[in-house]
Amino acid sequence: MKRLRENNIPEKNKECTNAPLAIGSAQPAKNLLQKVKKDQKRVSQALKLKKIKQLLAAKQTKKLDLAGDDTAKSSNNRYGLDAICKDARHMKPKEKQIQKETYGLSALQQQMQKKLKGARFRWINETLYTTTGDKAFEMVQEDPSIFKEYHEGFNAQVEKWPVNPVDVLIKQLEHEKKQLVVADLGCGEARIAATIGSQHKVHSFDLVAHNKHVTACNIADVPLKDSTVDVAIFCLALMGTDFIKFIREANRILRVGGELRIAEVISRISDMKAFANALEEQGFNLIHKDVHNKMFAMLHFTKVKSSPQKFAVATTDLDLLKPCIYKRR
């Protein structure tokens, strides 16, 4: 009996069997076997836990090694960047970009990176609002990354808005039964062309050709013939100090009776009546005004005549639209 019980007891518990059991012991054999089984279970659990820790440590080491290996960036190895982004196909493009940019950075480093990007966006934004269209076009042609950085920061701001004015303009055009020729001046990423390009003929212009829809140019001088457009749009695009030149260019390409649609940050317009009068001097007539949204004004003008040939930017024109400058934080 003694020898049989010893064979079933783990090595670490054999010491408890060294003393012989007297016949007629007070502790029943059944209780002793239960105790042995409990000891075996504890040993088994401890071994499993140790093995799990070893596997986790090995996995972490392999992940770090592959993260620093250039080949891991292009592979589908489960321990590389692709493993961390394994659900990236379900993410929005911006979420994918953020995850890649912040991979491997500490929380403090991510915070510093965010502040640097914010400061860069504010500088670009302020520059675009306080310079002429010609200088802005020259600046981004020399360094196209400026345009990309600006729109990344701009899109981050748009996400905080209760409504995006470009969505309002798109819905208006979707309800037009007749096919129109549309000029989207200062189009950014050309969402209007991408959304309703099959319904209307849309010409998109901005400082950089962000995609196939966009023609790069100064929007004070677009490559369209006179009186060939039904609707000209400025959606948060009257940014230069010479924005009246943009208005005059819209007048040139619009047919008589065509519409000029403007969406602008309402806080920029210091005097709505004076702003409307300035556009009427350029051959437009205000037909609709919507200032119910606390952030944006939607203004619709119609072209009644051509802009006067002689023109010079007056200092009073510069006060009609304040530059949209974000606060430094």
Side-chain angles (χ1 to χ4, degrees):
M1 286 289 293
K2 175 183 173 184
R3 190 169 299 166
L4 179 60
R5 283 197 297 270
E6 284 182 352
N7 290 337
N8 292 326
I9 297 174
E11 201 61 35
K12 64 177 288 185
N13 294 312
K14 282 185 178 180
E15 59 186 23
C16 69
T17 66
N18 289 338
L21 288 173
I23 297 175
S25 172
Q27 184 179 20
K30 185 178 179 180
N31 292 344
L32 183 59
L33 286 172
Q34 287 178 346
K35 183 177 183 302
V36 169
K37 287 180 180 180
K38 287 182 180 179
D39 289 340
Q40 287 177 328
K41 189 175 181 180
R42 280 198 297 269
V43 171
S44 178
Q45 289 175 340
L47 289 173
K48 285 182 180 179
L49 183 60
K50 183 178 180 181
K51 189 174 181 180
I52 289 171
K53 288 181 178 180
Q54 288 174 343
L55 287 172
L56 288 174
K59 184 176 179 180
Q60 184 65 21
T61 302
K62 193 169 184 180
K63 185 187 292 186
L64 292 173
D65 289 343
L66 288 174
D69 187 356
D70 291 338
T71 60
K73 294 179 181 178
S74 59
S75 72
N76 290 322
N77 190 295
R78 61 179 298 192
Y79 298 114
L81 181 59
D82 289 341
I84 293 176
C85 299
K86 64 182 179 181
D87 294 325
R89 61 184 178 277
H90 302 300
M91 294 179 180
K92 295 179 181 179
K94 184 181 177 184
E95 292 174 337
K96 292 181 185 179
Q97 183 66 23
I98 291 173
Q99 190 161 26
K100 288 183 179 181
E101 288 178 355
T102 58
Y103 174 68
L105 298 181
S106 68
L108 179 60
Q109 288 172 324
Q110 290 181 32
Q111 186 179 9
M112 291 175 66
Q113 184 188 60
K114 187 176 179 180
K115 286 186 176 181
L116 287 171
K117 281 190 173 184
R120 174 74 169 168
F121 166 70
R122 287 193 298 271
W123 175 81
I124 296 171
N125 181 75
E126 186 171 338
T127 302
L128 292 174
Y129 272 103
T130 57
T131 192
T132 64
D134 284 330
K135 289 182 179 179
F137 181 62
E138 181 181 343
M139 179 178 71
V140 297
Q141 289 301 307
E142 290 177 356
D143 184 5
S145 66
I146 288 176
F147 186 84
K148 179 176 180 292
E149 291 176 79
Y150 170 77
H151 276 281
E152 285 177 355
F154 176 77
N155 289 335
Q157 297 296 322
V158 169
E159 290 180 355
K160 302 174 185 177
W161 298 347
V163 62
N164 188 342
V166 74
D167 292 328
V168 177
L169 292 165
I170 287 171
K171 285 185 178 180
Q172 291 174 357
L173 291 169
E174 284 177 336
H175 285 98
E176 297 284 354
K177 295 180 180 180
K178 180 184 175 182
Q179 186 182 46
L180 302 173
V181 178
V182 179
D184 186 5
L185 304 164
C187 64
E189 297 172 347
R191 279 193 55 209
I192 293 177
T195 306
I196 59 166
S198 59
Q199 180 182 354
H200 302 293
K201 184 174 179 58
V202 183
H203 301 282
S204 304
F205 305 100
D206 213 321
L207 299 173
V208 170
H210 180 78
N211 54 45
K212 65 180 182 179
H213 301 293
V214 187
T215 299
C217 65
N218 176 2
I219 57 174
D221 184 19
V222 300
L224 290 177
K225 294 181 180 180
D226 295 356
S227 305
T228 54
V229 171
D230 297 307
V231 178
I233 292 174
F234 291 101
C235 185
L236 310 180
L238 297 175
M239 298 179 69
T241 55
D242 56 348
F243 71 89
I244 290 293
K245 290 183 179 180
F246 306 161
I247 299 296
R248 288 172 59 84
E249 182 67 352
N251 181 284
R252 180 186 72 79
I253 63 177
L254 278 168
R255 62 175 177 79
V256 173
E259 287 191 17
L260 171 63
R261 302 184 184 183
I262 297 174
E264 193 51 78
V265 178
I266 199 166
S267 60
R268 290 193 66 203
I269 307 173
S270 53
D271 187 333
M272 186 67 72
K273 186 176 180 180
F275 180 72
N277 288 342
L279 269 65
E280 288 178 355
E281 289 175 4
Q282 299 304 320
F284 292 100
N285 184 39
L286 180 64
I287 58 175
H288 179 71
K289 176 178 67 176
D290 183 357
V291 292
H292 291 96
N293 187 294
K294 65 179 182 179
M295 292 187 68
F296 308 105
M298 307 292 291
L299 306 172
H300 288 192
F301 296 82
T302 186
K303 176 181 173 179
V304 293
K305 61 182 180 180
S306 297
S307 297
Q309 291 186 352
K310 292 184 179 181
F311 168 75
V313 177
T315 54
T316 52
D317 293 335
L318 302 178
D319 297 329
L320 293 174
L321 286 179
K322 300 175 184 177
C324 187
I325 298 175
Y326 292 93
K327 294 180 181 180
R328 289 171 174 79
R329 299 179 186 273

